Amino acid sequence: MSEQRTRPDLGTYDDIANAAMHSTGLSDFGGDDHEEGLRILCEDLAAHGGLTPVGNFLQRAQIKSALVSRLVAEQGFKDNPSYRDVPIQRPIFVTGLPRTGTTALHRLLTADPTHQGLELWLTEVPMPRPPRESWNDNPVFNHLQTAYSAHHVENPEFMGIHFMDAASVEECWRVLRQSGRSIGYESLAYVPDYSAWLAKTDWTPAYVRHKQNLQLIGLNDPAKRWVLKNPSHLAALDALMSVYPDALIVQTHREPVTSIASACSLSAEATRGWSDVFVGDVIGRTQLDMLARSYESFATARSSYDAAQFVDVQYTDFVSDPVGTTRGIYEAFGLDWTPEVSAAVTAIDHDSRQGGKRPSHRYDLADYGLTEEQVRGRFS
């Protein structure tokens, strides 16, 4: 690892915030609802994270990226005040335990030309979505595309687990983290104080800002339905529904032993070399606790809402018939399954099976100090 990608320490929240302001030339964070969580996170990483020099650099980069995204979004709100008038109607949220098919299903649902998702580069630098044909001439897009391409060259195993590029639709945790709230941070480090804070905090401010970001990014596509995806929605259904009361929720399901083992493997691969603490049994214990807690929270909250707003998808059904499963979601929610939609979904399904995007992932629950009985006990 080159010297530029290491640091002797993480730095404080104020240090990282100043770096974000210096990088962007912006200083208005639009309030301080993000500060409590990110301050706790920074202190927790420094005290308990066991970060290596590489981990200091990369965890700092994660936090700085969230602050840069918030600064850029805030400037976007000022520059485009009409974003407030953009309607968000019956958005679709795909959620479920990690590794239950949410990524593939999300991409099939966004294949519909009347739908839109959050492209990865626009979660990093929120702005009204430029015309697709202009992206290759956009220096911000090209910078991020180059960075993700380099990541996959350096980490081929990760690409087999979760393929990403700047143009792909991705999880909306990168938008929620603008408010300092994301289980993504728990998936990348041992942060017990932050985890305890997140389990008790109100996620509503994060979803209010989430909606503002959607309105800004979708300013040029106001008639398109939003399709979002993130496992963290399991932890915050009440906050989500308070901001999006007409939301349509797709919950994916998979045998929890397989799901938890795969999620632990993803966390381990994503953070290889970052920490001397967040490895092996610690990954197993923290990920099982966080995911089981989120799953239980969702199950409890779901009963308070109209059952017609929810659809359940079994992983085995989706894998055996991705296009048919997607059509079933349309039928359940009363959406139009036109020949154009069918062709687009079928094309994306075919493309997802080709080349480097083909899933390839090996994992073993025992590598993370867990047994099948432990996992099943938490999801009984």
Side-chain angles (χ1 to χ4, degrees):
M1 185 69 67
S2 65
E3 187 65 28
Q4 289 87 348
R5 291 176 62 83
T6 64
R7 280 183 57 92
D9 57 52
L10 179 77
T12 66
Y13 166 81
D14 291 318
D15 173 39
I16 301 172
N18 286 331
M21 290 188 283
H22 178 76
S23 294
T24 60
L26 303 172
S27 60
D28 184 3
F29 285 104
D32 61 2
D33 66 276
H34 64 292
E35 280 198 26
E36 182 180 10
L38 292 182
R39 286 185 184 278
I40 292 171
L41 177 65
C42 289
E43 294 168 3
D44 208 6
L45 284 168
H48 303 118
L51 299 181
T52 65
V54 171
N56 283 322
F57 177 90
L58 293 173
Q59 291 285 9
R60 178 187 174 91
Q62 291 273 346
I63 297 166
K64 180 182 174 184
S65 176
L67 293 169
V68 165
S69 179
R70 185 175 176 110
L71 286 165
V72 171
E74 198 62 33
Q75 187 62 44
F77 300 153
K78 294 176 185 175
D79 292 342
N80 303 276
S82 62
Y83 85 91
R84 298 185 184 90
D85 301 323
V86 176
I88 307 290
Q89 297 177 329
R90 299 187 80 204
I92 298 172
F93 287 84
V94 180
T95 194
L97 293 174
R99 321 307 300 161
T100 57
T102 54
T103 297
L105 180 57
H106 179 220
R107 290 177 179 173
L108 293 187
L109 289 167
T110 54
D112 185 332
T114 67
H115 288 174
Q116 61 183 317
L118 277 171
E119 291 85 5
L120 181 54
W121 76 290
L122 294 175
T123 67
E124 300 274 8
V125 283
M127 67 179 80
R129 184 185 294 109
R132 180 63 182 86
E133 60 272 15
S134 72
W135 291 6
N136 289 335
D137 297 322
N138 187 300
V140 176
F141 173 82
N142 282 318
H143 172 75
L144 291 170
Q145 185 72 296
T146 299
Y148 283 107
S149 297
H151 171 76
H152 287 314
V153 170
E154 296 171 3
N155 302 274
E157 289 297 320
F158 186 85
M159 184 176 76
I161 300 172
H162 186 77
F163 182 88
M164 297 186 300
D165 67 20
S168 295
V169 292
E170 262 298 329
E171 295 182 343
C172 44
W173 68 268
R174 289 179 176 82
V175 176
L176 292 169
R177 69 178 180 166
Q178 288 183 23
S179 299
R181 294 158 173 83
S182 176
I183 64 172
Y185 293 123
E186 295 181 86
S187 300
L188 297 173
Y190 178 58
V191 282
D193 294 342
Y194 178 79
S195 296
W197 174 82
L198 191 63
K200 296 184 294 184
T201 197
D202 180 9
W203 286 66
T204 303
Y207 280 93
V208 169
R209 192 171 184 89
H210 181 280
K211 182 177 180 179
Q212 292 174 318
N213 274 263
L214 298 191
Q215 291 174 301
L216 176 67
I217 294 169
L219 184 62
N220 297 327
D221 302 289
K224 291 187 175 183
R225 184 192 309 275
W226 277 100
V227 183
L228 295 313
K229 170 253 180 175
N230 195 4
S232 75
H233 298 314
L234 290 174
L237 181 61
D238 287 332
L240 186 160
M241 296 299 278
S242 72
V243 176
Y244 301 103
D246 60 350
L248 307 175
I249 313 292
V250 180
Q251 184 179 7
T252 56
H253 302 270
R254 188 180 188 182
E255 211 287 326
V257 167
T258 304
S259 177
I260 296 301
S262 185
C264 289
S265 178
L266 179 61
S267 290
E269 194 60 47
T271 61
R272 189 176 301 280
W274 292 22
S275 170
D276 297 325
V277 172
F278 192 65
V279 294
D281 292 8
V282 171
I283 290 179
R285 173 170 52 81
T286 58
Q287 299 313 290
L288 175 59
D289 183 65
M290 180 262 288
L291 294 170
R293 187 175 67 244
S294 299
Y295 194 87
E296 292 161 6
S297 173
F298 186 89
T300 300
R302 176 172 167 170
S303 61
S304 300
Y305 302 100
D306 184 353
Q309 291 180 253
F310 295 81
V311 166
D312 294 286
V313 171
Q314 299 297 329
Y315 179 80
T316 52
D317 294 339
F318 177 62
V319 170
S320 65
D321 187 5
V323 176
T325 300
T326 306
R327 180 172 184 170
I329 293 170
Y330 273 65
E331 292 171 349
F333 288 145
L335 309 180
D336 292 332
W337 183 263
T338 65
E340 290 77 15
V341 172
S342 179
V345 170
T346 301
I348 290 293
D349 177 53
H350 178 267
D351 181 61
S352 70
R353 302 170 189 270
Q354 310 305 308
K357 299 180 185 179
R358 188 187 303 115
S360 175
H361 190 192
R362 299 178 181 87
Y363 43 84
D364 187 342
L365 198 64
D367 292 341
Y368 307 101
L370 297 175
T371 66
E372 293 186 7
E373 289 74 19
Q374 281 180 286
V375 173
R376 291 198 176 101
R378 288 302 303 270
F379 290 91
S380 61

